[in-house]
Amino acid sequence: MSLVMITGGARSGKSEFAEKLALEKGGNSVLYIATSIPFDEEMKGRVKRHKERRPPFWQTKEVYKNLYDVISKSNAKVILIDCLTVMITNLLMEVDLTWEKVELKEIDNIEKQIADEVDKILSAKKDFKGDIILVTNEVGMGLVPEYKLGRIFRDIAGRMNKKVADVADEVYLMVSGIPLKIKG
């Protein structure tokens, strides 16, 4: 029973590495939780490529909130969540605000709601009998986003990544398709 976090930049090989680990640890007993919402043709294409790459015998759930409910009901050996930063994006987009005018108090409330969702996922680690593999993007190593919403996202995602890494048994940083084990 372990929590493995896989982080890295865009197109660094995070999902492929996570899928390889899930197959090694869980074989045909894997629940793949996809957090994306395919809202345009590009996203639909990405989802299609991910589905084609995964073994057909894996169970898939497309959901980005209330993941604790899905995890707690699963009897899979491994749950692969792909990905935390997309989940955060979806939760941010649920909020109807003028982001350029949002006040710090509102941002703090939104972050608390997102942190509560992440805490529930982390609490599932105690109840779930198998391994959880969580994919996320490392968003803090690039340029500071020009727009306020981008900075809000980057800051929240960074803090949620830290929260997960703090309790993860293993953490991998993907660089150009190479997994670097940085914890565990």
Side-chain angles (χ1 to χ4, degrees):
M1 298 181 300
S2 66
L3 173 62
V4 178
M5 177 180 164
I6 301 170
T7 189
R11 302 291 168 261
S12 61
K14 299 178 302 288
S15 294
E16 293 93 338
F17 179 66
E19 291 163 6
K20 179 183 170 199
L21 259 176
L23 189 60
E24 288 172 5
K25 290 175 171 271
N28 63 356
S29 182
V30 175
L31 170 59
Y32 187 102
I33 299 177
T35 63
S36 69
I37 300 172
F39 54 87
D40 63 16
E41 291 307 311
E42 181 209 3
M43 282 301 289
K44 289 176 184 174
R46 287 177 185 229
V47 168
K48 183 176 186 260
R49 282 192 301 277
H50 273 247
K51 284 181 179 178
E52 289 170 349
R53 195 175 60 221
R54 291 193 300 265
F57 44 81
W58 284 3
Q59 181 184 10
T60 300
K61 297 272 187 191
E62 295 178 357
V63 61
Y64 68 89
K65 59 184 176 180
N66 302 317
L67 271 61
Y68 177 84
D69 295 337
V70 176
I71 294 168
S72 65
K73 293 175 185 168
S74 176
N75 59 0
K77 289 181 183 175
V78 172
I79 294 178
L80 194 167
I81 303 169
D82 195 357
C83 89
L84 181 65
T85 42
V86 172
M87 180 190 94
I88 292 167
T89 299
N90 292 334
L91 293 169
L92 281 171
M93 294 299 97
E94 283 186 348
V95 180
D96 186 22
L97 288 173
T98 304
W99 288 102
E100 290 304 314
K101 296 180 181 179
V102 69
E103 294 182 17
L104 186 58
K105 180 180 172 184
E106 292 172 301
I107 295 168
D108 289 344
N109 287 336
I110 293 164
E111 182 168 348
K112 182 181 180 332
Q113 293 171 5
I114 292 170
D116 288 346
E117 187 71 35
V118 172
D119 286 339
K120 288 177 189 171
I121 293 169
L122 297 177
S123 73
K125 178 187 175 206
K126 298 172 193 146
D127 301 329
F128 181 64
K129 303 297 183 228
D131 296 313
I132 298 174
I133 300 170
L134 189 140
V135 176
T136 189
N137 289 283
E138 177 51 58
V139 295
M141 297 173 82
L143 298 173
V144 174
E146 181 178 351
Y147 298 99
K148 189 171 185 176
L149 177 57
R151 292 188 300 274
I152 292 167
F153 166 77
R154 179 211 49 199
D155 292 349
I156 292 173
R159 285 189 283 270
M160 296 308 110
N161 284 347
K162 182 182 179 308
K163 179 184 280 281
V164 173
D166 283 347
V167 300
D169 300 291
E170 297 177 26
V171 178
Y172 291 88
L173 173 65
M174 296 298 297
V175 180
S176 302
I178 300 168
L180 303 170
K181 192 173 191 180
I182 58 175
K183 180 180 179 183

